[in-house]
């Protein structure tokens, strides 16, 4: 067969014989005939299409829906009989470079086929040349290296149809190409090669490697300062050091201004807006979005473009108070991401991260964890396994199970977290402070070990003060330029982490029963707090401590002061929080009064449906259980709102909670509805589901349905993590 192909090939006209090798290499994964023409014969399109139609007719290639496909057998013969010369490679690379050196507003979707061609062709050259690259003509090497850099800057465009299996960073084509050329010659764009390798390293939490690459980049005389600063900014954002991320991004902005590269600041403006949005700073976000549109000067963004995706991502984050609308925008961003990059792209992981954030803000923590798990899966799919983001996932699971009262589950994930060994300096301070705070919750609430909890609180404090707290004069000098809305800037500088630590310290004193120390600590926070809303939140907690001391008059006095001084838009959330505090300490009439304040029309208009459903449920339970009223209307409103939100977890919790106020078969009915709506946890156990089956067992036993009680008891034991607790076993032992 090979001999026959060789004889037929050598009988072809010379110009056709020269065309087939180039087609064989560049179209080996299939390629648009228009793109192949623009790379191989850009000046002779009519002749090119005559050739390929003739080659298709005689079986040298296959033309299908304007796409060219080649066979391995013909490719092998063509490259043996008519190998591509260095001059031919140089021409191909020079032409290809023009198409993959993207400007900010180039049509990215239209360029995908060129990046596909670059991926295939550059890999072919790397595999063919191997170590012989250094012996190639300097101009050819230079053309190859520049193509590698331009490809690596937007490599995901070249993977849109081949992202089918998990790869590590080292197995990624862009990494292999960059690593192949990194030490060839300092006269080429070595600084950009090192920057791109640093960007790949930081995406998989290899921050030490990333910093080394960025340091190497600085050493080159022709360093691309703007590109370097933006890459370093992205690294610090992933490290959760937001103030440094902002500082480096602003320096990139200034570099572009000096170099009159204004369009490059389109990337920078969106990056800064993204940080501000994630930091709960809408006004500063809008400031940088406005700068973005000023640079656009009325120009349009091409269809299916990274800028369009980023704008939607930012919009979704800003809609954190409207989960339904935020998710709709995230869906739109996902669709555009799929259309531009194909399936399982790293950009899709970002969108799952945003969904996780939105669900968490809506206090749908389980859903947030599920989306973050998808973020981790896609990240690992593109860059390989990494303990850092798994640690973040386990920390989130601990927070979720703490909120559900699942102490045994907290225990399980704390042990898994400790096995990851991510508490050393090789991992992001964001990862380490998250796991320190998660372990604090486990030791305080699950183990009741206040000494160990205190250790993890101190660790979280140390990480914040030594690694996350702003300590750079340059940043403070530029702060007002970067964050012109001063009332929000403190949120970004601390990224809420310091407040989180302060809450932990309050919990520690409160759980220990050291109310005097808790009061002193809260008064210190109140005196030092600059943010008006946060000051009121600390006051609510101070009232909570007074209520714990049975000083109900003092608690109500502080809580009244809180509501008197609150902005109208904050009265709902503060009233709900106060009601929860009052209920905790048996101040039932006060709890009902405060929830009634929250649900006054002028206040409830500032709440989203999720918050309203929670408040209505609280109001209904308070009236039913403590005032013996029949709050049918509030109960149905809460149910209706949760149904409209498709919040199955919320409905399950609503039915299960309501079952405690019911008796006999009606109680069983509501527990079963709760179980049916509860989506089981992934894995082998589900503590919440076990408790629901446990309660169902007792309810079924009470009405004499012993067979079903035994079935429910078995499921309770099956779903519970490890050994069933003795006190729970005692309650259902007759059914086991």
């Amino acid at each position: 067969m090979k001999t026959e192909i060789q004889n037929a090939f050598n009988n072809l006209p010379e110009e056709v014989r020269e065309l087939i090798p180039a087609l064989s290499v560049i179209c080996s994964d299939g390629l648009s005939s228009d793109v192949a023409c623009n790379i191989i014969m850009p000046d002779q399109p009519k002749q090119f299409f005559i050739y390929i139609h003739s080659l298709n007719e005689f079986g040298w290639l296959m033309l299908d829906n304007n796409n060219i496909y080649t066979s391995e057998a013909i490719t092998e013969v063509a490259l043996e009989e008519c190998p591509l010369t260095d001059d031919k490679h140089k021409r191909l690379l020079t032409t290809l470079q023009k198409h993959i050196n993207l400007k900010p507003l180039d049509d990215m979707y239209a360029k995908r086929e060129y990046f596909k061609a670059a991926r295939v062709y550059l890999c072919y050259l790397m595999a063919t040349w191997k170590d012989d690259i250094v012996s190639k003509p300097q101009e050819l090497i230079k053309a190859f290296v520049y193509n590698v850099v331009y490809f690596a800057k937007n490599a995901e465009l070249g993977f849109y149809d081949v992202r089918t299996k998990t790869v590590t960073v080292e197995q990624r084509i862009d990494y292999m190409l960059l690593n192949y050329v990194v030490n060839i010659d300092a006269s080429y764009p070595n600084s950009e090669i090192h920057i791109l390798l640093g960007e790949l390293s930081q995406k998989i939490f290899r921050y030490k490697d990333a910093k080394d690459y960025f340091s190497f980049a600085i050493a080159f005389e022709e360093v691309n300062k703007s590109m370097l600063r933006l890459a370093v900014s992205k690294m610090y954002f992933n490290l959760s050091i937001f103030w440094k991320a902002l500082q480096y991004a602003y320096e990139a902005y200034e570099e572009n201004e000096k170099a009159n590269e204004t369009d490059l600041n389109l990337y920078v403006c969106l990056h800064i807006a993204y940080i501000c949005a994630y930091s709960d700073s809408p006004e500063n976000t809008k400031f940088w979005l406005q700068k973005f549109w000023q640079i656009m000067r009325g120009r349009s963004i091409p269809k299916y473009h990274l800028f369009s995706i980023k704008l939607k991502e930012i919009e979704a984050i800003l809609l954190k108070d409207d989960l339904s609308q935020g998710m709709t925008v995230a869906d739109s961003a996902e669709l555009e991401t799929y259309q531009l990059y194909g399936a399982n792209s790293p950009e899709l992981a970002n969108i799952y991260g945003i969904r996780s954030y939105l669900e968490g803000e809506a206090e749908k923590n389980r859903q947030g964890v599920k989306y973050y798990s998808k973020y981790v899966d896609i990240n690992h799919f593109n860059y390989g396994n990494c303990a850092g983001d798994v640690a973040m996932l386990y920390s989130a699971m601990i927070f979720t199970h703490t909120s559900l009262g699942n102490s045994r589950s907290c225990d399980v994930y704390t042990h898994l977290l400790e096995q990851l060994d991510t508490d050393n300096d090789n991992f992001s301070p964001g990862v380490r402070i998250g796991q320190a705070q998660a372990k604090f919750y486990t030791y305080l609430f699950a183990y009741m070990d206040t000494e160990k909890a205190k250790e993890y609180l101190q660790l979280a404090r140390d990480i914040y003060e030594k690694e996350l707290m702003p300590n750079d004069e340059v940043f403070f000098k530029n702060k007002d330029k970067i964050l012109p809305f001063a009332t929000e800037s403190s949120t970004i500088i601390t990224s809420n982490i310091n407040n989180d630590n302060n809450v932990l310290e309050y919990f520690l004193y409160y759980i220990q029963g050291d109310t005097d120390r808790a009061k002193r600590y809260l008064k210190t926070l109140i005196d030092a707090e600059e943010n008006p809303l946060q000051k009121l939140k600390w006051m609510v907690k101070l009232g909570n401590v007074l209520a714990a001391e049975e000083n109900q008059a003092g608690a109500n006095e502080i809580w009244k002061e809180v509501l008197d001084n609150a902005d109208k838009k904050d009265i709902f959330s503060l009233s709900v929080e106060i009601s929860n505090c009052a209920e905790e300490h048996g101040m039932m009439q006060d709890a009902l009064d405060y929830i009634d304040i929250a649900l006054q029309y002028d206040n409830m208009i500032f709440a989203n449906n999720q918050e309203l459903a929670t408040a209505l449920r609280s109001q209904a339970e308070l009236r039913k259980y403590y005032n013996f009223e029949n709050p049918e209307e509030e109960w149905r409103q809460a149910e209706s709102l949760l149904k409209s939100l498709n919040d199955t977890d919320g409905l399950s919790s609503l039915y299960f909670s309501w079952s405690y106020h019911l008796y006999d078969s009606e109680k069983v009915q509501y527990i079963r509805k709760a179980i049916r709506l509860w989506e089981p946890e992934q894995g082998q156990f589900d503590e919440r589901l076990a408790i629901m089956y446990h309660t169902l067992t007792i309810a079924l036993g009470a009405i004499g349905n012993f067979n079903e009680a035994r079935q429910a008891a078995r499921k309770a034991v099956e779903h519970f993590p490890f050994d069933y607790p003795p006190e729970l076993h005692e309650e259902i032992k007759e059914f086991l």
Side-chain angles (χ1 to χ4, degrees):
M1 174 65 79
K2 184 175 179 181
T3 304
E4 292 173 3
I5 296 173
Q6 285 174 325
N7 291 335
F9 181 83
N10 287 322
N11 287 325
L12 291 170
E14 182 180 353
E15 62 271 20
V16 176
R17 277 188 283 123
E18 288 183 357
L19 173 62
I20 292 176
L23 284 171
S24 297
V25 170
I26 290 178
C27 302
S28 60
D29 271 11
L31 191 69
S32 157
S33 56
D34 292 326
V35 170
C37 175
N38 290 339
I39 296 171
I40 299 170
M41 295 178 64
D43 300 326
Q44 298 173 279
K46 188 176 290 186
Q47 191 64 43
F48 177 84
F49 284 101
I50 292 171
Y51 286 150
I52 64 165
H53 282 287
S54 177
L55 290 168
N56 175 60
E57 185 179 346
F58 290 100
W60 289 100
L61 55 79
M62 186 172 75
L63 199 56
D64 182 37
N65 289 326
N66 205 35
N67 289 319
I68 300 172
Y69 298 91
T70 59
S71 75
E72 290 184 11
I74 291 173
T75 297
E76 182 184 353
V77 168
L79 291 172
E80 283 180 8
E81 298 297 318
C82 189
L84 293 168
T85 64
D86 287 347
D87 283 344
K88 183 66 173 176
H89 283 311
K90 183 185 168 188
R91 284 198 300 275
L92 290 172
L93 288 168
T94 302
T95 306
L96 181 61
Q97 179 178 318
K98 295 173 185 174
H99 294 287
I100 64 172
N101 180 16
L102 295 191
K103 300 296 185 289
L105 287 170
D106 281 352
D107 187 338
M108 298 179 77
Y109 184 80
K111 296 292 186 180
R112 295 194 313 171
E113 287 283 293
Y114 291 101
F115 277 85
K116 179 180 178 178
R119 168 175 59 79
V120 171
Y121 183 38
L122 296 174
C123 283
Y124 165 78
L125 291 176
M126 178 172 62
T128 305
W129 289 348
K130 298 181 178 142
D131 293 339
D132 292 340
I133 186 173
V134 292
S135 64
K136 296 293 177 182
Q138 290 299 301
E139 287 301 309
L140 177 58
I141 298 174
K142 185 174 182 179
F144 178 75
V145 173
Y146 271 103
N147 270 276
V148 167
V149 169
Y150 295 141
F151 170 76
K153 284 182 178 180
N154 288 283
E156 295 304 330
L157 292 174
F159 300 142
Y160 74 91
D161 62 346
V162 293
R163 222 179 271 108
T164 56
K165 64 177 183 178
T166 300
V167 292
T168 64
V169 166
E170 290 81 7
Q171 292 169 329
R172 285 180 61 92
I173 289 169
D174 46 351
Y175 177 90
M176 289 192 289
L177 287 167
L178 290 165
N179 207 44
Y180 179 59
V181 300
V182 69
N183 294 316
I184 287 179
D185 195 305
S187 66
Y188 301 147
N190 290 61
S191 73
E192 296 190 8
I193 294 168
H194 283 90
I195 292 166
L196 290 165
L197 284 167
E199 283 193 314
L200 282 170
S201 298
Q202 64 93 13
K203 284 177 181 176
I204 197 65
F205 293 77
R206 296 180 183 175
Y207 298 110
K208 184 179 182 302
D209 291 346
K211 288 177 181 177
D212 287 344
Y213 282 123
F214 294 149
S215 296
F216 288 138
I218 295 169
F220 293 99
E221 188 175 337
E222 37 64 83
V223 61
N224 186 330
K225 293 180 181 177
S226 168
M227 180 181 172
L228 174 61
R229 281 164 172 72
L230 187 58
V232 173
S233 173
K234 291 175 182 176
M235 179 186 73
Y236 279 118
F237 176 68
N238 287 340
L239 283 164
S240 300
I241 309 177
F242 289 2
W243 67 271
K244 271 194 176 182
L246 288 165
Q247 175 59 34
Y248 277 99
Y250 186 71
E251 288 176 7
Y253 181 86
E254 289 188 315
E255 287 290 341
N256 289 330
E257 291 268 287
K258 284 182 206 169
N260 201 26
E261 293 279 5
T262 314
D263 275 4
L264 292 179
N265 274 334
L266 292 168
Y267 294 108
V268 181
C269 290
L270 288 179
H271 176 59
I272 296 178
Y274 193 79
I275 298 172
C276 293
Y278 252 130
S279 304
D280 196 16
S281 179
E283 294 306 320
N284 285 311
T285 304
K286 290 168 188 172
F287 172 80
W288 284 100
L289 288 177
Q290 187 178 21
K291 279 189 171 293
F292 171 85
W293 290 114
Q294 285 170 354
I295 297 170
M296 286 292 294
R297 299 187 305 279
R299 293 173 291 176
S300 61
I301 298 171
K303 191 176 183 180
Y304 310 139
H305 192 282
L306 179 62
F307 289 167
S308 177
I309 294 168
K310 285 297 175 191
L311 286 165
K312 287 173 181 172
E313 289 177 355
I314 293 166
E315 182 185 356
I317 297 167
L318 291 178
L319 286 165
K320 69 183 183 66
D321 292 328
D322 187 341
L323 178 62
S324 176
Q325 190 60 32
M327 284 299 195
T328 299
V329 176
D331 289 344
S332 177
E334 178 179 354
L335 179 60
E336 189 165 357
T337 298
Y338 184 83
Q339 287 162 327
L340 180 61
Y341 294 117
N344 298 316
S345 69
E347 196 60 43
L348 183 60
N350 291 339
I351 293 169
Y352 277 119
I354 290 167
R355 285 201 178 104
S356 175
Y357 170 79
L358 293 174
E359 296 283 6
E361 287 293 309
E363 297 185 0
K364 294 175 67 176
N365 295 329
R366 280 213 320 150
Q367 281 300 115
V369 166
K370 286 173 186 174
Y371 281 124
Y372 193 80
S373 180
K374 289 182 179 179
Y375 162 85
V376 171
D377 289 343
I378 295 174
N379 217 34
H380 289 187
F381 185 88
N382 285 283
Y383 302 107
N385 291 336
C386 170
D389 48 13
V390 175
M392 292 288 282
L393 178 61
Y394 288 164
S395 297
M397 286 177 166
I398 291 169
F399 289 129
T400 298
H401 287 296
T402 299
S403 69
L404 292 169
N406 296 341
S407 58
R408 187 68 68 85
S409 302
C410 291
D411 184 22
V412 170
Y413 286 110
T414 298
H415 282 299
L416 289 172
L417 194 56
E418 288 169 346
Q419 290 171 17
L420 290 174
D421 190 28
T422 51
D423 55 358
N424 58 70
D425 290 347
N426 291 328
F427 290 90
S428 146
V431 169
R432 287 183 283 116
I433 201 167
Q435 66 185 18
Q437 291 172 340
K439 288 177 182 178
F440 170 92
Y441 277 106
T442 297
Y443 279 97
L444 188 64
F445 294 106
Y447 303 158
M448 301 303 290
D449 185 341
T450 55
E451 287 305 311
K452 198 72 174 172
K454 195 182 296 182
E455 288 179 25
Y456 283 111
L457 172 60
Q458 188 55 51
L459 176 59
R461 288 271 188 218
D462 289 343
I463 294 169
Y464 170 73
E465 289 170 8
K466 294 175 183 176
E467 300 182 63
L468 298 176
M469 190 168 68
N471 58 9
D472 191 314
E473 288 184 13
V474 177
F475 173 74
F476 288 109
K477 179 182 173 184
N478 291 324
K479 182 170 77 72
D480 292 340
K481 297 177 189 173
I482 306 170
L483 306 170
F485 292 90
T487 54
E488 294 181 354
S489 58
S490 61
T491 308
I492 295 180
I493 294 169
T494 62
S495 61
N496 289 324
I497 290 173
N498 195 35
N499 276 346
D500 293 341
N501 285 339
N502 291 337
V503 170
L504 299 190
E505 189 160 343
Y506 155 73
F507 274 141
L508 183 65
Y509 302 143
Y510 182 71
I511 296 299
Q512 284 179 318
D514 192 345
T515 55
D516 286 339
R517 193 165 184 184
K519 284 189 294 187
R520 287 198 304 273
Y521 181 64
L522 287 167
K523 286 174 181 175
T524 302
L525 293 176
I526 290 165
D527 290 342
E529 185 59 61
E530 296 178 4
N531 184 298
L533 178 58
Q534 187 58 51
K535 185 188 286 281
L536 296 176
K537 288 181 178 180
W538 295 132
M539 291 174 67
V540 171
K541 287 178 169 53
L542 180 59
N544 189 50
V545 176
L546 292 175
E549 294 180 327
E550 299 186 1
N551 182 357
Q552 296 182 359
N556 275 316
E557 184 180 344
I558 286 179
W559 290 335
K560 185 177 182 304
E561 184 183 348
V562 166
L563 297 181
D564 286 345
N565 288 285
D567 283 349
K568 194 70 180 169
K569 63 181 176 60
D570 298 321
I571 290 177
F572 175 87
S573 60
L574 291 168
S575 298
V576 170
E577 188 176 351
I578 292 169
S579 177
N580 292 337
C581 293
E583 184 180 2
E584 179 187 346
H585 299 294
M587 301 165 60
M588 299 309 170
Q589 188 56 53
D590 293 308
L592 188 53
D593 290 343
Y594 286 117
I595 205 71
D596 286 345
I597 291 172
L599 290 168
Q600 288 174 5
Y601 178 77
D602 288 351
N603 300 327
M604 66 188 286
I605 58 173
F606 294 101
N608 60 44
N609 286 349
Q610 197 80 39
E611 293 166 334
L612 276 176
T614 303
L616 286 164
R617 169 182 157 181
S618 296
Q619 186 185 52
E621 290 187 342
L622 285 166
R623 287 187 176 171
K624 172 85 174 178
Y625 196 67
Y626 302 111
N627 280 18
F628 303 104
E629 298 177 16
N630 185 14
E632 186 73 19
E633 184 181 350
E634 293 84 353
W635 153 255
R636 294 300 171 199
Q637 282 180 322
E639 182 185 38
S640 176
L641 281 170
L642 290 168
K643 283 181 177 178
S644 72
L645 294 165
N646 196 28
D647 184 359
T648 53
D649 275 9
L651 276 168
S652 176
S653 296
L654 178 70
Y655 293 141
F656 187 57
S657 173
W658 199 249
S659 73
Y660 281 93
H661 309 306
L662 305 172
Y663 300 96
D664 301 330
S665 59
E666 195 176 13
K667 183 183 188 77
V668 169
Q669 177 191 348
Y670 273 82
I671 298 172
R672 280 182 168 152
K673 286 171 78 171
I675 290 171
R676 190 168 60 251
L677 286 165
W678 185 262
E679 185 182 341
E681 295 281 351
Q682 294 178 346
Q684 296 179 335
F685 64 85
D686 188 326
E687 189 171 349
R688 174 77 168 183
L689 189 57
I691 294 300
M692 285 196 276
Y693 274 117
H694 179 92
T695 311
L696 179 62
T697 302
I698 296 170
L700 287 165
I703 61 173
N705 194 338
F706 300 129
N707 284 336
E708 291 191 23
R710 280 190 283 271
Q711 292 173 17
R714 282 196 297 273
K715 289 183 178 179
V717 173
E718 285 170 10
H719 285 292
F720 204 86
F722 304 116
D723 296 334
Y724 211 62
E727 66 276 13
L728 295 181
H729 185 276
E730 184 67 26
E731 293 177 357
I732 61 170
K733 64 181 181 181
E734 62 184 297
F735 303 110
L736 291 171

